Amino acid sequence: MKKSVLLAALALSVPALAETPPEGVEFTPRRGFFTETDIGVFFTVGGENSYSNAQSYLQLGIGYDLTERLSLGAHFGLGSSAANCFAGFLPNSDICSLSDNFTVAFGDLTAAYHLRLANRFYLTPKIAAGYTRLDPSPVDSEGGDPGRATNAFNAGAGVGLEYATSLDHFSVGADLMGRYIFGPSIMTFAVFPRVKYTF
């Protein structure tokens, strides 16, 4: 009786041991629907002052990994340009003819490619395009009120690094993103760390 019980227990344990290799199961980063929060610095280049003072930048996004390498997303970003004049100085002065301080809001669609550099570690080049709102307007608009906001299109590209942490669902990284705002002809840059949660 004891021998039969022992043989039955052994027979049941063999499949269980076969399911998990002794080295463990290889880690696979989660792919699918994700959300992310990014906080960093933002500045503009060009204009009469060459570049603006660095200001805080906030970006929120949602997206979906279509494949292991390709993901699409929608992002809202908010930054500001400080002390950079794009409308030109008043005659014989260094006073900007319009505001040299303005907020920059982006609503963009993005696409990113995940190039594996090492286990859990990826290089992520990306492109973005969408809508921009500048408030107040930093440039003259035809027939418009100088104090009102300007709406324009933007397009840009960037590169980042992403690491899938051992905490399930969470990835961290850092990005550099440059965007060109058409119409006002303003170049912007944002540098920010990323925290990504994949469901």
Side-chain angles (χ1 to χ4, degrees):
M1 181 66 178
K2 290 182 180 180
K3 186 181 290 187
S4 62
V5 172
L6 183 61
L7 289 173
L10 184 61
L12 290 173
S13 64
V14 170
L17 291 172
E19 290 178 5
T20 304
E23 296 83 7
V25 178
E26 182 182 0
F27 176 83
T28 303
R30 284 183 179 265
R31 297 296 180 204
F33 181 72
F34 65 85
T35 182
E36 66 178 71
T37 302
D38 316 318
I39 300 176
V41 296
F42 177 88
F43 59 95
T44 60
V45 297
E48 299 293 339
N49 305 95
S50 299
Y51 55 89
S52 70
N53 296 331
Q55 299 291 300
S56 59
Y57 178 73
L58 171 65
Q59 181 172 278
L60 304 173
I62 58 173
Y64 190 82
D65 298 308
L66 299 178
T67 68
E68 184 180 353
R69 295 187 178 273
L70 182 64
S71 63
L72 298 179
H75 291 81
F76 171 77
L78 183 63
S80 60
S81 177
N84 196 9
C85 179
F86 288 92
F89 293 137
L90 294 174
N92 302 318
S93 75
D94 58 356
I95 300 173
C96 191
S97 58
L98 293 177
S99 178
D100 59 356
N101 298 285
F102 53 92
T103 61
V104 185
F106 298 105
D108 286 352
L109 297 177
T110 61
Y113 184 80
H114 300 265
L115 179 63
R116 183 173 175 175
L117 300 178
N119 187 31
R120 306 186 184 200
F121 193 55
Y122 298 86
L123 180 70
T124 56
K126 55 192 64 181
I127 56 174
Y131 173 85
T132 310
R133 182 177 177 84
L134 308 171
D135 189 16
S137 178
V139 296
D140 287 316
S141 54
E142 294 182 7
D145 182 352
R148 298 188 63 182
T150 292
N151 302 316
F153 290 102
N154 77 81
V159 65
L161 295 172
E162 184 175 307
Y163 177 74
T165 70
S166 55
L167 291 174
D168 198 15
H169 301 278
F170 284 95
S171 297
V172 296
D175 279 18
L176 168 64
M177 176 67 73
R179 296 182 180 93
Y180 183 78
I181 304 172
F182 298 93
S185 300
I186 297 175
M187 189 71 196
T188 72
F189 288 94
V191 182
F192 49 89
R194 299 172 57 234
V195 178
K196 174 181 174 183
Y197 182 89
T198 304
F199 292 88

